[in-house]
Amino acid sequence: MIHMTTVHWGVIGPGRIAENFGREFPADQTLYGVASDHSPEKAQAFARKFQIPHVYANHAELLADPAIDVVYIATTNNVHADNIRAALLAGKHVLAEKPVTLNLTQLKALDQLAADRHLILMEAQTIYHMPLYPKLLQVVHDQQLGKLQSLHAAFGLGSDPTDQTGRLLNPQLGGGGLLDMGIYALSFARRLMTAPPQLAQTVMVPTQTGVDNLSATVVTNAHHELATFSFNLLPAAPELAYAVYEHGYFLIDRYLRPDQAVYVDGRTGEHQTIVAGHRDQAMGYEAQDMAQAIATGQNPTQAWTRDTMALMTAMRQAWGLTYPQER
């Protein structure tokens, strides 16, 4: 186990998501530096808020500092790949906000670059780091629930339809329901599925800006596990998921950062609440897992990220949705 205080973090993209990361950051690691290419004032304010000792004029200056071990990237979706590539070329490990890239081609290239340089590239996807999910799999084993049968996950963001230049609706920024929130549902399925998901069917209704608003999707895999998803960008809807096994099932409310689930035994009807972790430490778990990956040289989430990105890429291909950076 690495001594956590030896890991010095740099932050690129000090916006709202990065502020959540700063608030939940583990006390035994070090937020060492922060930079913004577009708003040095925002970087200064971020540093004051989280008592970060070093503020850089731009990303390049941060990446050039040999004291920084790992970079947390929280910029908009459209520039994730460029930011990750620059950090890896500078010899830094990377924890990048979801979606780690826009598509599978970008991700494969960056995974190879990270491997060539013996660096960790990890996606900051809460689903992969919350302690509840391994505990649910332990219940599956202990209670002999049998094989996974089906999954469902839904989410409705309730976005402002008039904000057509903001990151959620703007195709230039990699907007849309799938990349912003739908990725959580797909990651939930991949976390529990025992083989990579394959797209069976998907339909989408776009927004006025052309990004995906409403969608419904069915996937399966080589083990005959079935998953269904429904995403809304503009209408609000419950954040709810369930997983059905041969002899019982789990209901998970607020599954993006869950700290509890209801287990229902299909044989007795008995209900039990399963508890693990804390919602308000979700991004701290990401940082802890990243430090552990650096220490061991192993990224246990890499295959999940790659399989989920492959599925998202296939879904957008079926919809005919491409972003300007991909053309």
Side-chain angles (χ1 to χ4, degrees):
M1 172 70 74
I2 195 168
H3 190 256
M4 294 300 187
T5 55
T6 65
V7 180
H8 288 183
W9 289 75
V11 175
I12 286 178
R16 179 180 60 84
I17 300 300
E19 290 205 359
N20 292 339
F21 186 76
R23 278 192 292 270
E24 299 171 17
F25 191 77
D28 56 2
Q29 295 187 49
T30 302
L31 280 175
Y32 184 86
V34 58
S36 171
D37 272 352
H38 304 294
S39 177
E41 299 80 11
K42 186 177 287 187
Q44 291 280 359
F46 190 89
R48 288 192 298 269
K49 187 167 189 175
F50 297 107
Q51 300 179 318
I52 298 174
H54 300 278
V55 181
Y56 305 86
N58 51 51
H59 296 174
E61 281 194 11
L62 182 150
L63 296 177
D65 189 338
I68 290 177
D69 305 302
V70 55
V71 178
Y72 169 67
I73 293 174
T75 49
T76 52
N77 297 343
N78 58 307
V79 293
H80 281 184
D82 290 340
N83 295 154
I84 293 167
R85 184 178 300 106
L88 293 174
L89 289 173
K92 309 301 184 187
H93 302 285
V94 177
L95 177 68
E97 267 303 326
K98 57 80 196 166
V100 62
T101 57
L102 289 179
N103 57 54
L104 183 61
T105 299
Q106 289 179 343
L107 179 59
K108 284 182 174 179
L110 294 173
D111 273 343
Q112 187 60 56
L113 179 60
D116 291 344
R117 291 175 173 258
H118 306 289
L119 297 167
I120 299 296
L121 169 57
M122 182 180 284
E123 184 176 46
Q125 168 54 265
T126 55
I127 300 288
Y128 298 155
H129 305 281
M130 294 301 292
L132 181 68
Y133 286 109
K135 186 161 185 178
L136 295 185
L137 292 174
Q138 188 63 47
V139 172
V140 171
H141 176 269
D142 293 346
Q143 301 290 336
Q144 299 182 342
L145 298 190
K147 294 180 179 179
L148 178 65
Q149 303 292 294
S150 65
L151 300 148
H152 179 71
F155 193 94
L157 194 57
S159 305
D160 178 4
T162 66
D163 184 17
Q164 299 194 357
T165 59
R167 67 177 184 87
L168 292 175
L169 289 173
N170 189 344
Q172 295 285 345
L173 300 180
L178 176 61
L179 294 194
D180 192 76
M181 301 308 296
I183 184 174
Y184 286 105
L186 303 184
S187 299
F188 161 77
R190 185 64 195 98
R191 182 66 182 86
L192 297 182
M193 279 181 148
T194 60
Q198 301 293 326
L199 180 63
Q201 189 64 257
T202 186
V203 293
M204 184 270 282
V205 178
T207 67
Q208 290 184 343
T209 61
V211 301
D212 58 298
N213 176 21
L214 313 175
S215 66
T217 300
V218 181
V219 306
T220 187
N221 64 15
H223 297 168
H224 306 294
E225 298 161 350
L226 186 72
T228 58
F229 311 100
S230 56
F231 311 140
N232 305 335
L233 180 61
L234 299 180
E239 179 191 327
L240 182 65
Y242 59 78
V244 179
Y245 290 81
E246 288 180 285
H247 305 302
Y249 60 90
F250 300 104
L251 294 170
I252 307 132
D253 190 21
R254 301 194 299 174
Y255 66 92
L256 276 62
R257 295 180 166 203
D259 51 20
Q260 61 180 1
V262 175
Y263 162 57
V264 181
D265 191 312
R267 296 155 293 197
T268 66
E270 178 185 359
H271 287 54
Q272 179 184 353
T273 300
I274 310 298
V275 179
H278 302 278
R279 286 178 54 83
D280 60 2
Q281 296 178 24
M283 300 181 87
Y285 297 134
E286 294 175 344
Q288 290 169 343
D289 285 352
M290 183 65 186
Q292 180 67 10
I294 293 170
T296 63
Q298 301 294 320
N299 177 4
T301 71
Q302 182 178 29
W304 299 333
T305 291
R306 185 173 57 246
D307 293 343
T308 300
M309 183 58 66
L311 181 56
M312 291 199 299
T313 301
M315 289 169 64
R316 288 200 297 112
Q317 287 174 342
W319 298 343
L321 171 56
T322 58
Y323 292 106
Q325 298 84 357
E326 299 174 307
R327 294 171 192 152

